[in-house]
Amino acid sequence: MTTVLIKQATIQDQNSSFHNQTVDIKIENGIITEIAKNIAIPEGATVVEKENLHVSPGWFDTSVSLGEPGYEDRETIAHGLQVAAKSGFTAIALQPNTTPVIDNQAQVKFVLERAKEQATSLFPIGALTKNSEGHDLAELFDMKNAGAIAFGDYNKAIQDANIQKIALQYVQDFDGLVISYCQDNSLKGKGIVNEGITSTRLGLKGIPTLAEELHIARNLFLLEYTGGKVHFPTISTQKSIALLKEAKAKGLQVTCSVAVHHLVLNEEVLTGFDSRYKIAPPLRDEATRKALIAAVLDNTIDCITSDHNPLDIEHKKLEFDMAKDGTIGLESAFGALLTVLPLEVVLEKLTAGKKIFGLPKQAIEINTTAELTFFTPTGESTFTKENILSKSKNSAFLGQKVKGKAYGIYNNGKLVI
């Protein structure tokens, strides 16, 4: 029998009767068997003691790209899940942007097989369309049966309104969730950054916020027509917030996320033409960044994602307009968020995705399965290359101030600290 004893941890869990109490937690074979002020150390137990140790229900990241299969040089599933564990995440939703694309049950089974025996649980998102090309629906029902928790084409918007409509109708038969990345490609054109004063000053082609907003409006109209439920990932404009607030008031089954980088950074960082800041959707102006924070605080935005997207140096260290979009974000997510949001909001938004994606969320109580994240909310530092655990190093957070730090997790009967 494996026993883990967590010493003097402050429990941060609004749903627990031990909320805000500093206690010892005893875990035996993956189950919390005792929570008390002071528990004697059992023989052979692994003891966890850390400075200013806090514990919360395990964090879930709703958008993570890992590369395998096809782009193992960027990241593998096994190593990526270890990075997630050390960054405080007990579960991730895996994007289907691999080669081949995760668009059938064999691919879903493959990634689940590769994720076995890891502390961090992996939940695959199946592609909505074949090869994520936007023309024909993928094998959604088969993928759901194989273990896919939702369906979407990563960072590719469905341009054909009829495909979007059919997808929303089809998945209702098995209570499926459609993920709708929103961007009108004709309005985006050759744009690479947010359209505005900064893009004009830098001489970079701009993407109007309208490209996102028009698509959100269209997809909300379709949702109202078809029923079903939609999740809008990484929304990034003020009008998008207003549209989603209105849709929720109407009672539509709609949820949305925002990426950490849109809450922490604005387009001012682009002045050095550093391609680490080339992200989709693009970084917006300071007023929008503040509006996104306000939308997190008033719960218009349901959850926060790192939108972790590892890219190799050949695709990232290029002229700004040639580089691929994306930043890694698992390692910096918690520390960066604490610089702009209160702790209780950060914890709530890093666990809220479980409900959206239909995953169980355990309160920290005696006789429950242990799915825990360990962290400290105090201490300030600068995020440097030494803090990057991923195989790829394309972080938009290098040089940024961070607060607190994740110590690790306990999940699936495994301790990573």
Side-chain angles (χ1 to χ4, degrees), residues 132-177:
S132 286
E133 286 170 353
H135 305 309
D136 304 294
L137 285 190
E139 302 169 8
L140 307 185
F141 184 60
D142 284 354
M143 286 194 286
K144 167 93 175 180
N145 288 341
I149 56 167
F151 308 99
D153 296 336
Y154 179 65
N155 276 10
K156 290 182 177 179
I158 304 291
Q159 303 301 307
D160 184 331
N162 193 46
I163 292 280
Q164 181 80 14
K165 175 180 81 86
I166 293 166
L168 284 167
Q169 289 170 325
Y170 178 65
V171 299
Q172 287 177 59
D173 288 345
F174 50 89
D175 195 31
L177 175 65

Side-chain angles (χ1 to χ4, degrees), residues 186-208:
S186 59
L187 279 170
K188 175 187 182 266
K190 292 182 175 166
I192 50 175
V193 296
N194 181 50
E195 183 179 86
I197 294 166
T198 303
S199 65
T200 308
R201 188 164 44 93
L202 297 175
L204 293 169
K205 282 197 168 71
I207 305 170

Side-chain angles (χ1 to χ4, degrees), residues 368-383:
T368 59
T369 301
E371 186 181 341
L372 307 172
T373 294
F374 307 117
F375 63 93
T376 173
T378 54
E380 292 187 3
S381 58
T382 301
F383 190 79

Side-chain angles (χ1 to χ4, degrees), residues 63-125:
S63 174
V64 174
S65 304
L66 289 181
E68 187 178 2
Y71 303 114
E72 287 84 356
D73 52 332
R74 297 177 188 176
E75 191 58 277
T76 61
I77 287 172
H79 185 262
L81 290 175
Q82 285 161 17
V83 173
K86 289 171 185 168
S87 306
F89 292 91
T90 56
I92 62 157
L94 178 73
Q95 292 289 359
N97 54 333
T98 50
T99 299
V101 169
I102 303 170
D103 66 357
N104 60 62
Q105 59 175 332
Q107 289 303 325
V108 171
K109 286 175 177 166
F110 172 80
V111 294
L112 285 171
E113 188 61 37
R114 302 295 281 180
K116 274 187 176 163
E117 304 302 313
Q118 295 283 345
T120 295
S121 305
L122 179 147
F123 296 96
I125 295 168

Side-chain angles (χ1 to χ4, degrees), residues 156-329:
K156 290 182 177 179
I158 304 291
Q159 303 301 307
D160 184 331
N162 193 46
I163 292 280
Q164 181 80 14
K165 175 180 81 86
I166 293 166
L168 284 167
Q169 289 170 325
Y170 178 65
V171 299
Q172 287 177 59
D173 288 345
F174 50 89
D175 195 31
L177 175 65
V178 171
I179 299 175
S180 288
Y181 179 77
C182 287
Q183 177 177 277
D184 184 298
N185 289 349
S186 59
L187 279 170
K188 175 187 182 266
K190 292 182 175 166
I192 50 175
V193 296
N194 181 50
E195 183 179 86
I197 294 166
T198 303
S199 65
T200 308
R201 188 164 44 93
L202 297 175
L204 293 169
K205 282 197 168 71
I207 305 170
T209 58
L210 184 66
E212 177 177 308
E213 296 150 0
L214 199 62
H215 237 201
I216 284 186
R218 181 202 80 171
N219 288 347
L220 287 171
F221 266 113
L222 289 169
L223 180 65
E224 206 168 345
Y225 177 80
T226 58
K229 54 187 179 183
V230 169
H231 177 70
F232 292 102
T234 61
I235 67 161
S236 70
T237 83
Q238 297 188 53
K239 182 76 179 173
S240 297
I241 295 166
L243 287 165
L244 286 157
K245 196 175 262 188
E246 195 183 310
K248 287 182 169 194
K250 275 185 186 171
L252 294 181
Q253 284 195 76
V254 58
T255 55
C256 62
S257 72
V258 64
V260 178
H261 38 263
H262 285 114
L263 297 174
V264 177
L265 305 170
N266 66 27
E267 63 186 3
E268 293 303 314
V269 296
L270 299 172
T271 47
F273 296 95
D274 190 329
S275 60
R276 287 186 297 114
Y277 302 116
K278 187 164 187 254
I279 292 161
L283 293 171
R284 307 288 185 186
D285 59 20
E286 178 62 6
T288 302
R289 186 187 75 81
K290 286 179 172 163
L292 288 165
I293 286 176
V296 168
L297 293 170
D298 74 10
N299 290 324
T300 303
I301 293 175
D302 301 274
C303 61
I304 299 173
T305 173
S306 72
D307 200 26
H308 181 82
N309 188 6
L311 295 168
D312 50 79
I313 200 161
E314 287 83 4
H315 287 94
K316 200 61 180 169
K317 209 157 186 175
L318 299 166
E319 295 88 349
F320 197 90
D321 58 338
M322 304 289 287
K324 272 192 177 299
D325 296 312
T327 173
I328 55 172

Side-chain angles (χ1 to χ4, degrees), residues 340-352:
V340 293
L341 288 166
L343 175 64
E344 58 274 15
V345 176
V346 172
L347 296 177
E348 199 267 312
K349 297 299 178 187
L350 286 179
T351 52

